[in-house]
């Protein structure tokens, strides 16, 4: 792959994105027959979330909590101080987050949505409006449960899978300012900024954008809060694409980015290379007091927040590893390798390839299927049937229903996400994935779509069931 050597190698004085680690322990995975896979998919109601993991060959459902920990992290697990209060691992973690992300106060939570619940309950009042750069499922739900309404202010380019804008996660400042004037600054508790933007395909936010956003928020006295879940990956893109950052480290860029925001919440199951964990960090002492009080209601004492001592130790070490340049180059390099294989075969994907996943454009696979036939859900099913590779729908099923009207939300993007766990699969696994997608692409005209047979009330994509239309 010449292009990859060029994009990932030369620029960093390396020959390729090859892994900066070797394998010390292996976990066997199962290869099944097509008949066995058909049976498993039927049992799972054609929802890849309902498959058993042991029936999956290569698991690209999510990068959430699926990373491999390093030998250092496993060693750290043995240093767990499981005291109920004041665990040593808490203080190490607090110090690490303060140093790497630069915020003053720190609150641990069991995972990202625990943090989202606390920040939403603390800052949002009934009738508030929360602008954000594209929705994320759990983020928006917690904002709504706290009485707020989410409003999308991401740039238009983010909704177009073919647009090659280098920072498709950017906030459209004019859109945001119009919204502020429409509803009034007093009804906006904070701007909810995420880097990278998951639902747009792992697309980054630029430093220039966060700076300008800070200035705009200051003008109206509005807080700027960051979903830092994949900020290390975001900072790699800043280094690669934004003028003036080529000679900075990812860690330096991360600290600078966070300095423009008032606080952050984190799903440590992503960037931070652990299987469970999360946190909140803020600069405002009063907000911290409130969060520290609320955490004991929902998560656990403020010195563990739902994590075991050993989890906090692994997270502290994982956080350090997550901002090392060698790690990030390999991480993004592997994702890009998959993207370039598919692009070389003219398979429609979201461009440019983002940080954590390659997103297939299901509308282009199945133009003959209307959105009510769940084209992305169909595509995820077809890929599993073909090879046992598990992916995830990110389209009409994920978008859910409008709480006011009860109708489906019809998102413009109808995508399937092939999400790469960190430090788990090899280049030959990635080749298998690409070849399977190609074989489904070659048979795309045969797809008939799905019908929903069971729909849960919240976050329906997790548990909905389907059956094939004939
Ligand atoms: C995963 C994720 C969350 C929620 O975190 P959990 O740890 O899954 O609860 C929030 N925001 C973004 C951008 C995410 O990807």
């Amino acid at each position: 792959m010449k292009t990859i050597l060029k994009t990932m190698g030369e620029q960093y004085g390396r020959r390729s994105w090859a892994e900066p680690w070797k394998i010390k322990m292996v976990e066997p995975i199962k290869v099944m027959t097509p008949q066995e896979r058909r049976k498993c998919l039927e049992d799972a109601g054609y929802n890849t979330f309902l498959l058993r993991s042991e029936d999956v060959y290569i698991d690209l459902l999510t990068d959430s909590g699926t990373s491999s920990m390093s030998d250092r992290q496993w060693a750290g697990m043995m240093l767990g101080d499981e005291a109920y209060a004041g665990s040593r691992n808490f203080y190490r973690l607090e110090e690490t987050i303060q140093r790497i992300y630069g915020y003053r106060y720190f609150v641990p939570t069991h995972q990202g949505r625990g943090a989202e619940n606390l920040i939403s309950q603390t800052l949002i009042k009934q009738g508030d409006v929360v602008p954000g750069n594209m929705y994320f499922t759990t983020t928006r739900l917690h904002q709504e449960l706290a009485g707020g309404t989410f409003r999308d202010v991401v740039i238009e380019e983010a909704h177009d899978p073919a647009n090659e804008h280098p920072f498709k996660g950017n906030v459209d400042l004019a859109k945001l300012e119009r919204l502020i004037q429409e509803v009034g600054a007093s009804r906006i508790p904070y701007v909810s900024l995420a880097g990278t933007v998951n639902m747009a395909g792992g697309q980054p936010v630029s430093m220039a954008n966060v700076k300008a956003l800070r200035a705009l928020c200051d003008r109206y006295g509005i807080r700027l809060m960051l979903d830092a879940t994949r900020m290390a990956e975001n900072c790699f893109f800043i280094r690669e694409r934004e003028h003036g950052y080529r000679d900075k480290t990812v860690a330096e860029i991360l600290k600078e980015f966070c300095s423009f925001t008032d606080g952050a919440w984190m799903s440590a199951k992503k960037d931070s290379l652990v299987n469970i964990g999360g946190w909140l960090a803020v600069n405002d002492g009063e907000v911290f007091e409130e969060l520290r009080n609320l955490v004991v209601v929902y998560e656990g004492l403020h010195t563990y927040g739902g994590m075991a001592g050993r989890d906090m130790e692994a997270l502290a070490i994982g956080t350090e590893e997550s901002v090392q340049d060698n790690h990030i180059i390999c991480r993004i390099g592997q994702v890009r390798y998959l993207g370039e294989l598919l692009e070389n075969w003219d398979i429609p994907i979201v461009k440019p390839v983002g940080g954590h996943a390659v997103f297939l454009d299901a509308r282009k696979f199945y133009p003959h299927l209307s959105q009510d036939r769940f084209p992305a859900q169909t595509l995820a099913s077809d890929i599993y049937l073909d090879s046992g590779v598990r992916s995830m729908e990110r389209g009409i099923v994920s978008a859910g229903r409008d709480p006011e009207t009860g109708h489906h939300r019809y998102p413009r993007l109808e995508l399937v996400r092939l999400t790469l766990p960190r430090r788990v699969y090899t280049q030959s696994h990635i080749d298998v994935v690409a070849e399977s997608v190609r074989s489904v692409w070659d048979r795309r005209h045969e797809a008939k779509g799905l019908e929903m047979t069971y729909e849960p009330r919240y976050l329906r994509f997790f548990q909905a069931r389907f059956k094939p239309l004939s």
Side-chain angles (χ1 to χ4, degrees):
M1 297 309 301
K2 279 207 196 69
T3 42
I4 288 165
L5 282 176
K6 210 166 177 176
T7 52
M8 300 301 295
E10 286 168 14
Q11 187 182 328
Y12 302 99
R14 295 164 50 140
R15 301 189 70 185
S16 83
W17 55 269
E19 296 82 354
W21 38 261
K22 58 184 176 174
I23 296 166
K24 174 141 62 181
M25 189 192 283
V26 296
E27 177 182 345
I29 47 180
K30 190 161 83 178
V31 187
M32 294 192 299
T33 64
Q35 292 74 19
E36 288 170 325
R37 289 196 293 267
R38 168 70 69 182
K39 169 82 176 55
C40 292
L41 193 63
E42 269 168 21
D43 291 348
Y46 289 78
N47 185 347
T48 51
F49 277 102
L50 299 178
L51 287 165
R52 289 170 185 239
S53 144
E54 61 179 5
D55 298 330
V56 172
Y57 175 42
I58 297 174
D59 201 348
L60 306 188
L61 184 72
T62 174
D63 63 333
S64 181
T66 52
S67 301
S68 289
M69 294 209 294
S70 66
D71 53 0
R72 316 295 143 108
Q73 286 176 288
W74 279 108
M77 295 288 277
M78 298 305 291
L79 301 178
D81 170 5
E82 307 304 344
Y84 188 88
S87 160
R88 168 177 38 167
N89 314 112
F90 166 77
Y91 294 104
R92 166 153 192 206
L93 177 59
E94 179 185 49
E95 183 279 321
T96 305
I97 302 303
Q98 287 167 337
R99 174 164 42 80
I100 291 180
Y101 289 84
Y103 301 109
R104 213 166 296 151
Y105 304 108
F106 169 77
V107 179
T109 62
H110 80 284
Q111 63 183 84
R113 72 198 70 181
E116 289 173 338
N117 176 38
L118 301 183
I119 199 75
S120 303
Q121 297 289 342
T122 299
L123 296 180
I124 299 172
K125 303 185 302 301
Q126 193 65 38
D128 277 355
V129 171
V130 188
N133 53 344
M134 203 174 261
Y135 85 98
F136 183 72
T137 52
T138 58
T139 314
R140 182 177 64 191
L141 178 60
H142 281 295
Q143 291 164 353
E144 289 172 351
L145 290 172
T149 306
F150 174 82
R151 292 283 286 269
D152 190 2
V153 292
V154 77
I155 57 172
E156 279 306 306
E157 287 86 340
H159 295 286
D160 173 5
N163 191 298
E164 302 237 21
H165 191 292
F167 291 102
K168 277 166 97 171
N170 280 355
V171 168
D172 182 332
L173 297 163
K175 228 192 251 180
L176 174 58
E177 191 152 16
R178 275 198 303 278
L179 178 66
I180 298 171
Q181 279 159 4
E182 179 199 322
V183 305
S186 62
R187 280 178 63 204
I188 301 182
Y190 60 91
V191 172
S192 177
L193 180 72
T196 59
V197 178
N198 194 343
M199 303 302 268
Q203 304 294 335
V205 178
S206 72
M207 193 71 83
N209 193 245
V210 74
K211 261 188 223 175
L213 195 54
R214 173 80 265 170
L216 181 64
C217 286
D218 282 347
R219 218 165 331 125
Y220 290 95
I222 298 172
R223 285 195 178 89
L224 178 54
M225 301 298 294
L226 179 66
D227 182 337
T229 297
R230 295 186 186 80
M231 268 313 298
E233 291 170 6
N234 193 102
C235 291
F236 172 87
F237 290 110
I238 290 176
R239 173 172 155 176
E240 182 180 68
R241 296 176 187 170
E242 201 162 350
H243 181 70
Y245 290 94
R246 189 55 59 84
D247 296 324
K248 297 218 158 104
T249 64
V250 163
E252 287 165 343
I253 299 169
L254 178 62
K255 199 142 182 194
E256 180 180 337
F257 195 103
C258 292
S259 75
F260 294 110
T261 66
D262 297 299
W265 66 88
M266 181 76 179
S267 170
K269 305 174 69 171
K270 321 290 170 57
D271 258 357
S272 313
L273 299 163
V274 287
N275 306 118
I276 192 74
W279 50 260
L280 276 161
V282 293
N283 291 329
D284 181 322
E286 278 173 39
V287 175
F288 170 63
E289 282 303 319
E290 187 64 26
L291 293 170
R292 191 170 61 166
N293 193 208
L294 217 50
V295 74
V296 301
V297 180
Y298 292 103
E299 304 284 310
L301 194 68
H302 61 277
T303 58
Y304 74 87
M307 285 182 282
R310 54 180 173 271
D311 296 332
M312 292 191 282
E313 190 68 17
L315 173 52
I317 299 166
T319 302
E320 307 264 8
E321 292 177 357
S322 74
V323 296
Q324 287 170 9
D325 290 350
N326 274 338
H327 161 69
I328 293 279
I329 289 168
C330 168
R331 162 70 177 154
I332 309 275
Q334 191 181 49
V335 175
R336 203 169 278 178
Y337 173 76
L338 175 57
E340 291 188 11
L341 283 177
L342 297 175
E343 253 184 290
N344 287 346
W345 294 328
D346 294 323
I347 293 171
I349 60 172
V350 174
K351 288 196 248 181
V353 171
H356 63 301
V358 174
F359 288 71
L360 305 172
D361 187 349
R363 285 181 190 271
K364 292 237 174 72
F365 267 73
Y366 303 141
H368 58 288
L369 297 185
S370 66
Q371 222 170 351
D372 303 273
R373 296 192 160 207
F374 308 110
Q377 192 78 30
T378 305
L379 180 53
S381 298
D382 288 348
I383 293 169
Y384 175 77
L385 281 177
D386 180 76
S387 59
V389 170
R390 169 153 73 171
S391 58
M392 178 194 292
E393 193 262 11
R394 288 274 103 144
I396 186 169
V397 184
S398 296
R401 290 182 186 271
D402 187 305
E404 308 258 291
T405 66
H407 296 312
H408 287 308
R409 288 168 164 136
Y410 288 89
R412 268 193 271 173
L413 297 178
E414 186 69 27
L415 307 175
V416 164
R417 193 176 85 179
L418 299 163
T419 331
L420 298 197
R422 297 166 184 80
R423 311 193 290 206
V424 173
Y425 292 114
T426 63
Q427 187 167 329
S428 35
H429 286 122
I430 304 299
D431 290 340
V432 169
V433 172
E435 284 155 18
S436 174
V437 171
R438 178 152 88 158
S439 112
V440 172
W441 171 248
D442 289 343
R443 286 180 283 112
R444 62 193 179 278
H445 307 293
E446 297 164 21
K448 302 220 166 45
L450 295 166
E451 171 187 1
M452 204 186 303
T453 57
Y454 165 68
E455 180 175 354
R457 190 141 63 108
Y458 298 113
L459 302 174
R460 63 181 182 179
F461 57 96
F462 283 130
Q463 291 155 339
R465 298 183 72 85
F466 303 83
K467 72 170 200 248
L469 287 164
S470 48

